[in-house]
Amino acid sequence: MNSLETLLAQGQVAQAKAEAEKLLAKNPHHRDALVVMAKLALVENKVPQAEGLLAKAEAQGATAETGLVRANIAAQKGQLDAALKAYQGVLAVEPNRAEAHFGKGMMLIKQDKAPQALEALSQAAKLAPQNPVFRYRLGQVQLEAGQTDAGLATLREVLTLAPRFVPAYLSLSHALSTQDKLVDARKVLEQGLKAVPYQPRLLASLTVLSMALRDLRTSYEAASALAAQRPKDADAQANLAHLLLARGQVEQARYVCQSMASQGVASESLKMAEATCFESQEPPAYDKAIAAYEQGMGLAPDGWRAANNLGQLL
């Protein structure tokens, strides 16, 4: 692995790019620099640019690195057969190349070839045991293939390896939830929030899960933290408003809805919370509640919740 690839592997993307640009300023045909710049262009979804840089690198002779980039380009363009062939070409030259095994596995799972995909992903995780992404995708595919115990164990390994790897917490929690192990699922999310405090996706999942467990306190705490993190996010604020209503805190819920409206933020869910506030008044302001439900229907023409509640009110 050359120095530029080492920088990328260490996550030092900005430095790798700067070093590659310096090398290309001195020598526009520097193959290693061209390959790195092609990889970075691909990460930014600049496929034509990546192809142009790769072509210049390949003009000086194909290598395993250029083969990997060629495979990744094909994969990003949805050319599964071409990508799979390219990954296999890399493995013919370097059979222990973890990235190629991983890419091969990803292409196979997209072609519904789970047994072969699991074999390739297992090999990738074995060859690069410190790479959490390889192990994470293996766990996901194990779960999808019905290997539940193995999948759960693999996802837990990811969290031991990379305690701040948020997707693994979400996937593990979801997998436990599907087995009706809601308490265990919640513990996973709480563990994640200790490692990555106030992480929005973890907070959102904890809110929903706690509601399913009828734990209004935990759900409210998570919703409040999420709303504080995302003060102009309609979903986060609506979630908080509905939880306030569930706790009987109608005035606080009304304040959330009015605050969002004053900022020009609206959604079906916010309007439903607002309508519920009007229904809870003494005496109920049914005309205002109906107007709020109708506004909610206008914000989500394909939705059904506001229409359903309006129908019940009428």
Side-chain angles (χ1 to χ4, degrees):
M1 184 181 294
N2 62 58
S3 60
L4 293 175
E5 294 292 345
T6 299
L7 288 172
L8 281 184
Q10 294 173 344
Q12 300 181 44
V13 177
Q15 188 175 346
K17 182 177 181 180
E19 292 296 327
E21 289 173 339
K22 287 180 183 177
L23 291 170
L24 289 173
K26 295 178 181 178
N27 175 13
H29 302 289
H30 195 291
R31 183 166 58 188
D32 292 344
L34 287 167
V35 169
V36 165
M37 292 302 289
K39 288 183 178 182
L40 294 175
L42 199 55
V43 168
E44 296 175 357
N45 201 30
K46 298 178 180 177
V47 177
Q49 182 179 336
E51 289 180 310
L53 290 163
L54 180 60
K56 291 180 181 179
E58 289 176 327
Q60 301 164 62
T63 65
E65 290 299 335
T66 62
L68 274 174
V69 179
R70 178 61 61 191
N72 291 340
I73 288 174
Q76 197 149 326
K77 293 170 71 174
Q79 300 170 351
L80 304 186
D81 290 335
L84 181 58
K85 183 177 180 180
Y87 287 125
Q88 290 171 330
V90 173
L91 291 172
V93 179
E94 293 189 17
N96 291 327
R97 192 62 185 258
E99 299 98 316
H101 283 287
F102 179 74
K104 176 183 176 182
M106 295 303 295
M107 295 306 101
L108 288 168
I109 196 62
K110 290 181 179 179
Q111 295 177 338
D112 295 323
K113 298 177 180 179
Q116 299 97 312
L118 282 169
E119 182 180 352
L121 293 171
S122 296
Q123 187 67 8
K126 180 180 178 181
L127 291 168
Q130 299 304 308
N131 189 313
V133 175
F134 291 177
R135 195 167 295 276
Y136 169 66
R137 284 301 290 146
L138 170 62
Q140 283 190 312
V141 174
Q142 286 172 326
L143 290 172
E144 292 168 8
Q147 298 180 11
T148 305
D149 291 342
L152 293 175
T154 299
L155 290 177
R156 288 193 173 96
E157 290 172 1
V158 175
L159 296 179
T160 301
L161 177 64
R164 294 178 60 83
F165 194 82
V166 172
Y169 289 107
L170 295 169
S171 292
L172 180 55
S173 177
H174 176 72
L176 289 168
S177 295
T178 60
Q179 293 185 302
D180 292 327
K181 297 179 179 179
L182 300 185
V183 174
D184 290 338
R186 181 173 64 180
K187 288 179 180 178
V188 168
L189 296 174
E190 290 171 341
Q191 177 190 345
L193 285 166
K194 288 180 181 178
V196 193
Y198 302 107
Q199 209 288 327
R201 294 173 66 193
L202 292 175
L203 285 171
S205 294
L206 181 59
T207 301
V208 173
L209 194 53
S210 296
M211 283 292 286
L213 286 165
R214 300 182 184 277
D215 182 355
L216 286 180
R217 181 185 63 80
T218 301
S219 190
Y220 170 70
E221 289 174 353
S224 296
L226 181 60
Q229 285 283 100
R230 299 184 172 185
K232 294 187 178 180
D233 185 305
D235 291 335
Q237 299 302 321
N239 191 39
L240 175 59
H242 283 286
L243 278 166
L244 287 167
L245 287 168
R247 288 161 58 94
Q249 296 173 265
V250 178
E251 289 305 314
Q252 292 91 327
R254 190 198 315 278
Y255 174 79
V256 171
C257 295
Q258 291 175 342
S259 177
M260 289 299 99
S262 69
Q263 298 178 60
V265 178
S267 70
E268 179 191 33
S269 193
L270 273 170
K271 286 298 177 182
M272 288 178 63
E274 182 182 339
T276 304
C277 289
F278 288 131
E279 288 183 71
S280 302
Q281 288 183 197
E282 287 296 338
Y286 290 124
D287 56 336
K288 293 182 179 179
I290 291 170
Y293 281 131
E294 290 177 340
Q295 290 168 3
M297 292 167 59
L299 290 166
D302 297 326
W304 59 271
R305 295 182 303 162
N308 180 68
N309 284 20
L310 176 59
Q312 291 182 17
L313 178 61
L314 295 174

